[in-house]
DNA sequence: ATGACTTCTCTAAGAAGA
């Protein structure tokens, strides 16, 4: 069994104690991190390595930043940092590696707010580039896991309030259509596949307006599996408990289990 | 509501997040 976690930590410096506790408790084989908010040199990677993980980083000062952690001495080989033809390559939003016989990507997709701004256009352009690259990955006919914070609420039932989010970039028809175009290439949304009837399957709760105690969340962190990975799907879920910890990220870690090949 | 909360950083009130 291979255990994979994707976690938008919202600042590695601020979240390091929570991350180290999480690694000790769950001991996942592969961790895909997003929103490091720091350059690799400024980050305490030695403590992560002391916890038993090898790391691969693609970071920048202050914003964005994605990484992998791989447990033990297992292979962890970089395939690429950044998307092909990335419209803003200085933004560290994509890293892809080979680990445990899988191709894995850690994705931090642009937020895109406010709608109608340059940022929204950048989001859609970035998603078009991801669509192209995802098609190339599918063509390899290998087990591939595209993990991360997609900043897209796939369906109305994936948010606590359609009305509250109606004007948000995360659930605009264009954002959803762009995600659907990728999924319809042949990817499996693992969390929805495993929990087809859960209408409170959330991965994010805002810090504001008592969103967490009200369970006013939405689902924006996703695992997309190639057919060769989906055939091995054993389980998937949300580590919701982590959102209730002191000094928690506003995202909960999401997890995926794949049977051995 | 030019807010709320939390992170980062040019450590102030600001930018950005979602």
């Amino acid at each position: 069994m291979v255990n994979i976690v994707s976690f938008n930590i919202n600042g590695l410096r601020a979240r390091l104690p929570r991350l180290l506790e999480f690694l000790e408790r769950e001991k996942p084989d592969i961790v895909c991190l997003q929103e490091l908010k720091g350059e690799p040199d400024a980050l305490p990677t030695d403590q992560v390595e002391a916890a038993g993980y090898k790391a691969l980083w693609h970071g920048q000062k202050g914003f964005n930043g994605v990484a992998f952690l791989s447990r033990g001495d297992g292979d962890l080989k970089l395939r690429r940092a950044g998307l092909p033809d990335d419209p803003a390559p200085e933004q560290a939003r994509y890293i892809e590696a080979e680990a445990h016989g899988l191709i894995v990507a850690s994705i931090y997709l642009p937020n895109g707010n406010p709608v109608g701004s340059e940022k929204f256009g950048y989001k859609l352009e970035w998603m078009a580039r991801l669509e192209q690259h995802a098609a190339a990955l599918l063509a390899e006919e290998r087990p591939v896991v595209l993990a991360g914070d997609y900043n897209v609420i796939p369906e109305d039932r994936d948010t606590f309030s359609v009305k509250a989010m109606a004007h948000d970039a995360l659930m605009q028809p264009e954002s959803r259509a762009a995600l659907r175009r990728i999924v319809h290439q042949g990817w499996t949304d693992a969390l929805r596949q495993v929990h087809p009837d859960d209408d409170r399957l959330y991965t994010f709760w805002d810090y504001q307006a008592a969103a967490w105690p009200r369970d006013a969340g939405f689902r924006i962190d996703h695992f997309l599996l190639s057919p060769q990975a989906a055939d091995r799907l054993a389980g998937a879920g949300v580590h919701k408990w982590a959102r209730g910890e002191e000094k928690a990220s506003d995202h909960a870690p999401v997890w995926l289990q794949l049977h051995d090949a």
Side-chain angles (χ1 to χ4, degrees), chain A residues 153-160 162 176 192 195-202 218-219:
Chain A
I153 298 167
E155 299 179 272
D156 284 356
R157 64 171 169 158
D158 292 313
T159 175
F160 72 102
V162 170
R176 287 177 165 178
R192 187 47 82 195
H195 304 279
D197 301 319
D198 188 345
D199 286 341
R200 301 191 83 84
L201 186 61
Y202 302 147
F218 37 89
R219 185 168 79 98

Side-chain angles (χ1 to χ4, degrees), chain A residues 22-69:
Chain A
F22 181 84
L23 296 176
E24 176 65 27
R25 172 170 168 167
E26 298 294 334
K27 297 182 170 58
D29 297 304
I30 301 170
V31 185
C32 308
L33 299 174
Q34 301 90 34
E35 275 212 274
L36 308 177
K37 293 188 174 181
E39 289 172 304
D41 289 351
L43 298 172
T45 56
D46 51 335
Q47 294 185 60
V48 172
E49 288 168 3
Y53 285 85
K54 294 205 298 194
L56 278 180
W57 309 85
H58 180 40
Q60 66 180 103
K61 189 175 183 178
F63 304 99
N64 309 316
V66 285
F68 292 110
L69 307 179

Side-chain angles (χ1 to χ4, degrees), chain A residues 22 43 52 57 65 95 106 121 142 180 200 222 225 232 240 250 257:
Chain A
F22 181 84
L43 298 172
W57 309 85
I95 188 170
S106 181
R142 292 189 49 195
R180 272 201 306 276
R200 301 191 83 84
H222 310 302
L225 311 185
R232 292 166 53 182
K240 196 170 175 179
D250 40 9
Q257 282 191 332

